[in-house]
Amino acid sequence: MKSLRTLLAGLWPRRLMSQTIVLLILALFSAQIISALIVRGQTLSFYRGAETRFMAERIAPLAALLRDTSPEMQDKIAATLASRRQMVWMSHQPAVGKPSESGEHEDRERSRDLAARIAAELDDHHQDHIRVMRQLEDADAPPMLSRMQGAAGLPGAARHFENNATVVSIALGPDRWMNTALQNRPPRRLISSDGWISFFITAIVISAIVAFALRRITRPLGQLSAAAGRLGRGEAVEPLQEDGPADVRETIRAFNDMQQRLHKYVADRTQMLAAISHDLRTPITSLRLRAEMLDDDEARERMIATLGDMQKMVEATLAFAREEASTEPTRVTDLAALIEAVCEDLGDIGHSVSFAETERLSYPCRPLALRRALSNLIENAASYGEHASVRLEAAADGPNIIIEDNGPGIPAADIERIFEPFVRLETSRSTETGGIGLGMAIARDIVRRHGGEITLDNRPEGGLRVVIALPAVSA
């Protein structure tokens, strides 16, 4: 059952237009079947009555003609009356036995109805004089007329009647019976070929109209989805044109308004952070000058060191604010070449870094920002883990950049804290690098603005593994 659900889920279309058209065709097909069942139920009794009347009106005149003819002429006339759908022959015994209660109830009722109609046409109400047997086609039953052919010397044309026939025996006199076999009409199909042609034409026309109508909805929705994806990756998105039905236009308008408010909010916060950091530089410089005038050497050195740390924090905060305020355009970049260039630059300044060769991978990104995030992460791995191994893996849900080191790792409770600004894990990381704890925060911010995510976990064999998972970008 689960495999069936999986198969159906795999076959079910994913797009709105495809799902709507499939559901529409299923609805049309269901309506066609229901209509055919209703029409068939209403017309079945009419066709059965018409067939019974046709047989009675065809058999009764033959019986009346042969009844008034001499026995010598009856055989000749019966032979000339044979056709593809009807056979007539004379015999001393009826080809049909007395009515039986066996067989289908519907066939018994139709046989009695036909006998009554023939009797009414002949003004003969003796049931023993008219016998009717209707035998429908049945693969398991022996051919009825083939048996009659052997018993009564019927012509070879009887073979094509097989079982699907109605046989009537009418007494014309003592030991003289007229037997006639009429081929039954084949059962009506539930839906005729014309019905199927009409169904397919209707389905094609309606599907084309629905596809045209849905195109007006899905096209602006597709543009909205693509714009939302670019906005989530931090790209600059032009306001979308408000197109489509009223509901879709209102959604696009709300997206445009949200985008403008979001950009204004981020710009205001970034500007405020940059202004505060910039304004702090003046009092820090003033304090440093005053500290230089102190006579106590130990106190002077401590104050200068503290002011130096504050200066680094301000500079880092300004750099962070500049990164937030930057509007670097997105362009397609060779991701493998970008990572390899970062590793080479870090190797040139003395870090132990290796990059696993991989196929080139074109990816739309902001290369300067991503380069900065990679530099922070790879430099941390090389500084605190002695050696950094970097590789690029292409996955169905987007490329993954994996950075591994051989260091002591990070306590599980501190894995999320390391991304907080100005947080340093002194128990597991060296304090001699001069950093202030913004590198990881900046790296995660850049990756998230590309629509990706950074995850950290300790390797079983020792060291830390950093995975940068970037989203897949549709062409």
Side-chain angles (χ1 to χ4, degrees):
M1 193 65 182
K2 185 177 180 181
S3 59
L4 178 61
R5 289 200 200 98
T6 304
L7 177 62
L8 293 177
L11 295 176
W12 185 250
R14 300 182 181 277
R15 296 288 183 179
L16 173 63
M17 183 181 296
S18 302
Q19 290 184 5
T20 304
I21 291 177
V22 169
L23 290 174
L24 177 64
I25 292 176
L26 290 176
L28 285 175
F29 179 77
S30 302
Q32 185 87 347
I33 295 296
I34 294 172
S35 299
L37 290 173
I38 294 174
V39 172
R40 182 171 183 172
Q42 292 177 344
T43 59
L44 191 58
S45 59
F46 169 78
Y47 281 109
R48 288 173 178 171
E51 184 180 33
T52 301
R53 287 193 301 272
F54 168 79
M55 288 184 176
E57 292 171 357
R58 189 162 184 170
I59 294 172
L62 292 179
L65 174 64
L66 293 176
R67 181 177 289 175
D68 298 332
T69 306
S70 63
E72 294 76 11
M73 293 297 296
Q74 288 176 348
D75 292 330
K76 294 181 180 180
I77 293 174
T80 60
L81 292 175
S83 65
R84 184 170 181 80
R85 288 199 62 208
Q86 182 178 14
M87 292 187 303
V88 183
W89 73 97
M90 305 302 296
S91 64
H92 297 291
Q93 297 293 332
V96 179
K98 291 185 177 182
S100 172
E101 293 301 323
S102 61
E104 295 290 338
H105 175 74
E106 180 181 341
D107 290 336
R108 295 200 307 270
E109 290 295 327
R110 294 176 66 181
S111 297
R112 282 196 288 267
D113 187 25
L114 178 57
R117 287 183 179 274
I118 295 174
E121 293 285 339
L122 295 175
D123 293 329
D124 187 350
H125 300 287
H126 295 286
Q127 294 296 328
D128 290 342
H129 293 174
I130 301 173
R131 300 179 184 180
V132 178
M133 178 174 65
R134 175 180 173 84
Q135 184 170 343
L136 296 177
E137 188 174 7
D138 186 355
D140 296 331
M144 177 181 65
L145 293 181
S146 296
R147 296 199 309 270
M148 294 180 183
Q149 178 187 4
L154 299 181
R159 291 183 183 276
H160 78 274
F161 279 70
E162 291 301 325
N163 292 346
N164 191 21
T166 297
V167 182
V168 180
S169 296
I170 302 176
L172 302 182
D175 298 330
R176 195 66 176 169
W177 291 79
M178 182 198 81
N179 306 293
T180 180
L182 285 96
Q183 188 175 25
N184 297 325
R185 293 182 180 273
R188 289 177 55 85
R189 286 181 295 180
L190 184 61
I191 301 179
S192 64
S193 351
D194 293 340
W196 283 116
I197 293 174
S198 174
F199 167 75
F200 285 120
I201 293 176
T202 303
I204 291 173
V205 172
I206 294 181
S207 297
I209 295 174
V210 171
F212 175 77
L214 285 177
R215 181 64 179 168
R216 293 188 66 243
I217 300 175
T218 56
R219 183 169 52 84
L221 285 179
Q223 295 173 352
L224 177 62
S225 176
R230 294 197 303 272
L231 180 64
R233 293 191 297 270
E235 300 180 25
V237 180
E238 294 293 329
L240 298 178
Q241 182 180 358
E242 298 175 8
D243 194 10
D247 295 341
V248 177
R249 291 199 303 270
E250 292 176 2
T251 303
I252 296 176
R253 187 180 304 116
F255 174 81
N256 289 335
D257 294 342
M258 177 199 70
Q259 181 183 201
Q260 292 178 359
R261 289 194 297 268
L262 183 61
H263 283 321
K264 188 175 184 304
Y265 172 78
V266 173
D268 291 344
R269 293 293 295 270
T270 304
Q271 184 178 4
M272 180 182 66
L273 179 62
I276 294 174
S277 299
H278 182 271
D279 292 343
L280 284 175
R281 301 170 80 176
T282 300
I284 290 175
T285 303
S286 176
L287 287 174
R288 180 185 290 272
L289 293 175
R290 294 183 181 182
E292 295 287 350
M293 299 172 62
L294 292 177
D295 296 333
D296 189 339
D297 293 340
E298 182 178 358
R300 181 175 64 252
E301 293 299 328
R302 288 182 178 179
M303 290 184 66
I304 291 175
T306 301
L307 291 171
D309 291 340
M310 293 178 64
Q311 184 72 27
K312 291 179 181 179
M313 293 177 65
V314 169
E315 295 295 336
T317 303
L318 281 173
F320 182 76
R322 284 194 297 269
E323 179 64 34
E324 286 286 330
S326 65
T327 55
E328 180 188 358
T330 298
R331 61 177 185 269
V332 177
T333 304
D334 188 339
L335 203 56
L338 177 65
I339 301 172
E340 186 175 12
V342 173
C343 292
E344 290 178 354
D345 291 345
L346 292 174
D348 291 341
I349 61 177
H351 291 290
S352 175
V353 180
S354 63
F355 175 66
E357 292 293 334
T358 184
E359 295 182 1
R360 299 304 176 183
L361 177 62
S362 297
Y363 189 80
C365 65
R366 292 180 296 283
L368 294 180
L370 191 58
R371 183 186 182 95
R372 182 179 182 187
L374 290 172
S375 297
N376 289 346
L377 295 171
I378 298 174
E379 185 176 6
N380 282 346
S383 299
Y384 305 132
E386 298 179 358
H387 176 78
S389 301
V390 187
R391 67 179 185 273
L392 172 64
E393 295 181 353
D397 54 352
N400 293 330
I401 304 172
I402 302 171
I403 305 169
E404 297 176 335
D405 62 45
N406 300 321
I410 296 176
D414 293 328
I415 285 181
E416 187 61 27
R417 283 187 62 242
I418 197 173
F419 290 109
E420 297 177 6
F422 307 109
V423 171
R424 291 176 54 87
L425 305 181
E426 297 182 359
T427 58
S428 60
R429 298 293 186 180
S430 173
T431 60
E432 299 176 357
T433 60
I436 63 169
L438 271 180
M440 295 297 289
I442 292 175
R444 184 167 71 169
D445 178 73
I446 292 173
V447 171
R448 283 184 171 178
R449 283 194 286 119
H450 279 80
E453 188 57 79
I454 297 180
T455 57
L456 279 65
D457 65 277
N458 293 304
R459 303 167 60 200
E461 62 273 24
L464 187 70
R465 178 185 291 111
V466 180
V467 179
I468 302 174
L470 295 173
V473 179
S474 57

